[in-house]
Amino acid sequence: MITLYHCHDARSFRPLWALEELELPYDLRMLPFPPRVLKKEYLQENPLGTIPLLVDGETRMTESAAIVEYLSRRYGKPGGLAVEPEEPGFGAWLNALHFGEATLTFPQTLVLRYTRLEPEARRQPQVADDYAKWFLARLRGLEAIVGQAEFVAAGRFTGGDISVAYALLLARSLGLADRFPPAVADYWARMQARPGFQRAKAAQKAASAAQGLTAVPVDQL
């Protein structure tokens, strides 16, 4: 069985959402955030101390967007979460997988660090504000796509949407969602309405309760 190490609403939500969309069985192991500080024994599983960690037999992966691609291509059905090279939307799909992480999530990690995670004396409001503006400016690229189409690639929901929409989930947690352009806000509402998204949210809540872990959302850190 696939095992996913996960923190509430963290990057590991991407593979969790993909697992639910693919309706695959999995073992969800919840960790406090950040696990490298609060669950040091986790370093024996992942020396980086980061999440996600997905274990599938001999396969071990730590990059959330790459895990979405792996699950989509290995376990998905034709016309599902993956887009094949011969399909017109293949390039857009790959771009969305990486755009969601490298362009939209990265600047938000600095907002998170310098507003929530660093000790009070080390927090940097100016740095956080600058990177929040960077993230919001990069939403123009997403706005151009979803202002014209329901999904980011291939005319259907794919792993590219999971990668991009997670960045919007993180933005909501950081208090940036009220600054989404209208087309992005509408897209985000569509993504939240998906049964797979809702099942993933419910799964992390249930797993936290079953494992005796108090979930602390980003906006409460």
Side-chain angles (χ1 to χ4, degrees):
M1 181 180 289
I2 294 170
T3 299
L4 176 64
Y5 292 84
H6 172 52
C7 295
H8 183 90
D9 280 357
R11 279 180 169 104
S12 43
F13 190 82
R14 284 190 178 111
L16 176 58
W17 186 358
L19 287 165
E20 287 293 342
E21 292 282 351
L22 293 165
E23 298 183 343
L24 296 173
Y26 60 91
D27 177 22
L28 185 61
R29 302 190 184 181
M30 300 298 298
L31 297 167
F33 185 83
R36 65 183 178 276
V37 175
L38 300 177
K39 194 77 171 178
K40 291 188 180 296
E41 56 268 37
Y42 174 61
L43 294 169
Q44 298 173 20
E45 294 289 342
N46 176 12
L48 293 174
T50 57
I51 45 87
L53 169 64
L54 180 128
V55 181
D56 184 16
E58 297 299 313
T59 298
R60 301 174 71 87
M61 300 181 70
T62 60
E63 292 296 326
S64 63
I67 294 170
V68 172
E69 181 175 0
Y70 169 81
L71 294 171
S72 301
R73 296 180 72 97
R74 177 155 186 166
Y75 295 107
K77 298 177 181 178
L81 294 185
V83 179
E84 297 304 319
E86 62 271 15
E87 292 186 69
F90 178 64
W93 175 68
L94 283 178
N95 197 68
L97 282 169
H98 295 280
F99 179 76
E101 174 61 18
T103 299
L104 295 183
T105 299
F106 165 70
Q108 293 189 85
T109 63
L110 294 170
V111 178
L112 176 61
R113 175 177 179 177
Y114 288 112
T115 60
R116 313 284 174 85
L117 299 181
E118 289 286 352
E120 192 72 35
R122 287 180 49 82
R123 294 183 182 180
Q124 299 287 338
Q126 185 62 60
V127 172
D129 186 60
D130 287 347
Y131 278 95
K133 291 176 181 176
W134 180 5
F135 160 74
L136 292 165
R138 296 308 187 270
L139 285 180
R140 295 192 197 104
L142 178 59
E143 181 183 18
I145 297 169
V146 299
Q148 304 294 324
E150 187 174 358
F151 304 108
V152 296
R156 67 176 187 269
F157 180 84
T158 68
D161 292 292
I162 290 176
S163 181
V164 168
Y166 170 71
L168 303 182
L169 172 62
L170 179 57
R172 184 187 67 177
S173 298
L174 293 173
L176 299 174
D178 61 350
R179 297 161 71 182
F180 289 170
V184 173
D186 290 346
Y187 170 76
W188 170 228
R190 293 195 298 273
M191 296 301 102
Q192 292 177 86
R194 289 192 63 81
F197 177 92
Q198 295 173 13
R199 289 196 303 269
K201 294 286 281 187
Q204 67 180 6
K205 182 177 180 180
S208 292
Q211 295 168 33
L213 184 69
T214 301
V216 181
V218 167
D219 58 2
Q220 296 179 22
L221 289 172

